[in-house]
Amino acid sequence: SETNLTDFTNRVKTADKILDEESQKWGSIVDTLQGKPRENQPMFTQTPAIMLLLGAKQKRVFADPRLFDGMFPGNERKGQHSHEQMTADVLKQLPKAIADPIAVFESQTGNYCFMLELKDAKGKNVISYIEFNAKQSHSDVNIVRTAFGKNNPSWFNAQYKEHLLYINQQKKRRWNATAGANSLWGKTSNVSFEKKILTEQDLVKLKNEYPNI
């Protein structure tokens, strides 16, 4: 049947090809927006492996309308920043950056803070807050709540030392080579000492077990 053929085609696609397709679809959404959307916008049809590694369910991933405040300044909620450096060109790079972050920190709000290699229009590293297993129209989804550039050495170091959940060691070394005062250094002491700090090796292992995620 047509459904079985589609399922088979999806299974044989590589994860990279799926991510390329997801990223292209997301880019088309960003390009066609004429104003800040009122509803969540689809970013991934399936949850990236890094999010599964951290405990997210395999659900669709959506983007909160707040993510587009930088594209449409003046439409942000009262008390929130517009983050005008988060231009359309920057936003279009988010899916691939989220799928392979430098680090992920535990947020005090219960969300997950992704530290990305992606830069905003002013050259600041982008961080993105993502809510796992959220409710949307009576369904479980994952939601990218916001993303913006940040350049605060003490904040990065505090997150690294106290709230680290995942670190890509290779990306960390590249970051430290150019970050100066923003370098991630010192001993990490996770919020819970019982938690294992995950690395890119754990991510690779998961991808090898499930090659289509």
Side-chain angles (χ1 to χ4, degrees), residues 141-159:
V141 298
N142 299 304
I143 302 178
V144 180
R145 289 297 183 186
T146 188
F148 52 89
K150 197 172 188 69
N151 185 23
N152 185 324
S154 60
W155 185 89
F156 278 114
N157 285 329
Q159 301 308 306

Side-chain angles (χ1 to χ4, degrees), residues 40-70:
N40 292 340
Q41 299 296 302
M43 182 180 284
F44 295 99
T45 57
Q46 63 178 27
T47 298
I50 180 61
M51 293 169 64
L52 297 176
L53 184 67
L54 292 164
K57 295 177 182 178
Q58 180 54 276
K59 302 291 182 180
R60 297 182 71 188
V61 181
F62 288 83
D64 190 295
R66 282 189 298 166
L67 200 66
F68 305 97
D69 284 346

